[in-house]
């Protein structure tokens, strides 16, 4: 795995045991699963592989705790690109309500009721799809939730729960962007201003694996990165999501109860000129034993923000490795609709730039 020192400062485990102990043990678990699935998917969280960031420590009044925590975040930003976020202050009921709304939305007896959302009209802000193939096995729903909030009107409690969830997640997003800015050595509004996050384009993506409880192959969702700053993800059970580590190993993502999994995305990589990489991830459905719902939010720049490698990340050893464009142009570059939120990172890489991986050998 990535080395455990940063600028010769010893790796600090960010009060890991404190973080786990502080997780609200009274909250009813969203991580329940049928007992015969336990052995296959309930592997322990390996803190060596999936880092844990304690949100409360990032904003601690104790300067030493705060600086240790920011130093660890800096290490995670550059050497991992994903982490479990704990003690973030969003109450467990907010997660339970949105997961219940999604579960009811994906009513297996009413797939046809959802087909109208399959339309390809450019003005659509709600898009649905169902795939059962060797490449992909999932039912999904994508909705733009910021700057304007959208949601299918039925079931009514889904819309209420999603609006509440999206509001809380935006607070977490903006705070995390502040902490990341400071962890990278800048003032706290650095990322927020560079991406104009106040008007950020956030798309909520929820997936049901496998669709109709049966898959045609072992892949739920093939390896990909996502556009935007980062993805925040919750789920009802552990099992299926994998991230690619910087040393090229697929890592099973197991989340502590009530945590939020953060996956770095393309526009952090572009802005930092490759210093913080976008994380490749995928979902495997294996033998269909686990029925799983995931709910992720792709937190993006504003559609009008022109994103290119920032001058603070450029020097003779690090020329711009990516072409700049607005977020809207990026989302439409592959011919997709902006609510499809497809990555086109390979297309914006500056060709023959042998400095693209400069940070890897620093
Ligand atoms: O379902 C998951 O765990 C991941 C979903 C995902 O990567 C996506 O929708 O982009
Ligand atoms: Fe993704």
């Amino acid at each position: 795995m990535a080395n455990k020192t940063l600028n010769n400062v010893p790796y600090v485990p960010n009060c890991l045991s404190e973080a786990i102990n502080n997780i609200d043990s009274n909250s009813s678990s969203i991580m329940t699963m049928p007992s015969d699935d336990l052995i296959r998917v309930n592997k322990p969280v390996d803190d060596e592989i999936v880092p844990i960031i304690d949100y409360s420590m990032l904003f601690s009044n104790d300067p030493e705790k705060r600086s240790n925590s920011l130093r660890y975040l800096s290490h995670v930003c550059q050497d991992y690109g994903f982490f479990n976020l704990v003690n973030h202050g969003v109450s467990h009921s907010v997660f339970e309500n949105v997961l219940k709304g999604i579960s009811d939305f994906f009513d297996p007896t009413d797939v046809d009721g959802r087909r109208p959302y399959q339309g390809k009209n450019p003005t659509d802000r709600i898009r649905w799809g169902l795939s059962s193939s060797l490449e992909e096995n999932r039912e999904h729903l994508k909705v733009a939730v910021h700057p304007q909030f959208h949601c299918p009107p039925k079931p009514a409690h889904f819309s209420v729960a999603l609006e509440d969830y999206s509001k809380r997640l935006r607070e977490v997003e903006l705070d995390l962007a502040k902490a990341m800015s400071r962890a990278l050595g800048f003032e706290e509004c650095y990322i927020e201003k560079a991406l104009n996050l106040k008007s950020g384009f956030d798309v909520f993506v929820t997936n049901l694996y496998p669709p109709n409880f049966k898959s045609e192959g072992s892949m739920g969702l093939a390896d990909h990165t996502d556009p935007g700053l980062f993805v925040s993800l919750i789920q009802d059970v552990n099992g299926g999501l994998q991230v690619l580590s910087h040393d090229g190993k697929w890592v099973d993502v197991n989340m502590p109860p009530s945590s939020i999994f953060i996956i770095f995305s393309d526009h952090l990589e572009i802005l930092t000129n490759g210093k913080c990489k976008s994380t490749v991830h995928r979902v495997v459905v294996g033998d269909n034993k686990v029925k799983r719902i995931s709910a992720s939010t792709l937190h993006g720049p504003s559609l009008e923000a022109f994103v290119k490698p920032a001058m603070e990340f450029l020097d003779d050893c690090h020329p711009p490795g990516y072409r700049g464009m607005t977020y809207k142009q990026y989302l439409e570059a592959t011919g997709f609709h902006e609510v499809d939120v497809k990555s086109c990172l390979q297309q914006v890489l500056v060709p023959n730039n042998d400095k693209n991986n400069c940070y890897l050998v620093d």
Side-chain angles (χ1 to χ4, degrees):
M1 193 60 213
N3 70 42
K4 294 278 183 283
T5 63
L6 177 70
N7 300 334
N8 298 323
V9 177
Y11 157 72
V12 182
N14 196 34
C15 313
L16 193 59
S17 52
E18 195 180 328
I20 292 170
N21 289 339
N22 284 347
I23 296 167
D24 181 4
S25 53
N26 294 326
S27 58
S28 63
S29 176
I30 56 168
M31 302 289 177
T32 52
M33 67 189 85
S35 57
D36 58 347
D37 294 329
L38 280 172
I39 295 169
R40 196 173 73 80
V41 298
N42 197 21
K43 296 181 200 135
V45 174
D46 185 342
D47 62 276
E48 286 296 299
I49 295 180
V50 179
I52 293 187
I53 297 283
D54 184 335
Y55 184 92
S56 66
M57 291 293 150
L58 295 172
F59 300 97
S60 169
N61 289 330
D62 178 332
E64 196 183 332
K65 283 186 177 163
R66 196 172 60 236
S67 84
N68 281 347
S69 184
L70 288 171
R71 196 167 54 204
Y72 182 50
L73 179 62
S74 168
H75 168 52
V76 168
C77 284
Q78 295 171 65
D79 297 332
Y80 285 82
F82 53 87
F83 58 89
N84 277 312
L85 184 69
V86 299
N87 288 329
H88 41 68
V90 183
S91 100
H92 188 75
S93 61
V94 173
F95 292 1
E96 281 182 325
N97 291 344
V98 80
L99 289 167
K100 169 84 174 75
I102 295 166
S103 176
D104 291 346
F105 175 78
F106 284 135
D107 174 357
T109 65
D110 189 27
V111 174
D112 286 338
R114 301 191 278 280
R115 289 196 194 281
Y117 295 121
Q118 207 168 12
K120 299 282 177 202
N121 192 318
T123 58
D124 287 342
R125 285 293 172 271
I126 302 175
R127 293 167 83 82
W128 171 90
L130 191 150
S131 321
S132 258
S133 69
L134 278 179
E135 292 79 38
E136 185 171 306
N137 290 278
R138 62 168 177 160
E139 181 171 345
H140 73 263
L141 174 75
K142 300 186 181 189
V143 290
V145 290
H146 194 269
Q148 278 85 40
F149 177 78
H150 302 266
C151 187
K154 283 197 279 188
H157 65 91
F158 175 34
S159 181
V160 173
L162 181 59
E163 188 158 16
D164 188 30
Y165 175 81
S166 298
K167 274 196 191 126
R168 297 295 288 114
L169 264 283
R170 266 199 76 73
E171 290 163 15
V172 172
E173 174 207 352
L174 295 177
D175 281 350
L176 211 44
K178 288 189 170 66
M180 284 162 62
S181 299
R182 299 193 55 207
L184 291 171
F186 301 109
E187 58 89 19
E188 65 175 18
C189 290
Y190 178 80
I191 293 176
E192 182 180 314
K193 282 187 198 149
L195 304 182
N196 190 9
L197 292 181
K198 285 262 157 71
S199 315
F201 184 61
D202 290 351
V203 177
F204 177 79
V205 181
T206 180
N207 300 290
L208 170 69
Y209 307 95
N212 297 321
F213 317 113
K214 186 152 176 26
S215 65
E216 297 297 323
S218 61
M219 198 48 75
L221 184 57
D223 23 327
H224 66 282
T225 64
D226 288 309
L229 172 61
F230 57 75
V231 173
S232 58
L233 179 145
I234 63 166
Q235 58 178 3
D236 60 350
V237 297
N238 276 319
L241 176 59
Q242 298 180 329
V243 287
L244 193 63
S245 70
H246 285 196
D247 57 0
K249 295 195 187 94
W250 284 110
V251 175
D252 285 324
V253 174
N254 287 298
M255 296 170 58
S258 295
S259 61
I260 302 173
F261 189 63
I262 303 292
I263 309 173
F264 287 173
S265 304
D266 299 353
H267 288 75
L268 182 63
E269 175 165 338
I270 296 169
L271 182 71
T272 62
N273 199 29
K275 188 166 187 165
C276 304
K277 297 275 186 232
S278 190
T279 296
V280 178
H281 53 287
R282 69 181 183 187
V283 178
V284 291
V285 289
D287 51 14
N288 291 315
K289 276 215 169 161
V290 178
K291 172 183 172 252
R292 173 172 173 267
I293 285 174
S294 69
S296 45
T297 306
L298 279 63
H299 301 280
S302 105
L303 286 170
E304 288 73 39
F306 187 91
V307 187
K308 62 177 191 214
M311 55 179 267
E312 292 82 0
F313 294 90
L314 305 177
D315 58 33
D316 289 348
C317 176
H318 304 97
Y322 308 81
R323 280 190 293 126
M325 60 179 71
T326 67
Y327 193 42
K328 185 174 173 60
Q329 286 165 338
Y330 185 93
L331 293 176
E332 293 175 349
T334 39
F336 281 97
H337 185 284
E338 58 199 32
V339 179
D340 289 328
V341 277
K342 294 283 186 193
S343 168
C344 69
L345 197 56
Q346 296 310 314
Q347 277 173 253
V348 303
L349 276 178
V350 173
N352 304 322
N353 185 336
D354 58 4
K355 299 284 173 32
N356 274 339
N357 286 325
C358 212
Y359 284 111
L360 295 177
V361 294
D362 275 355

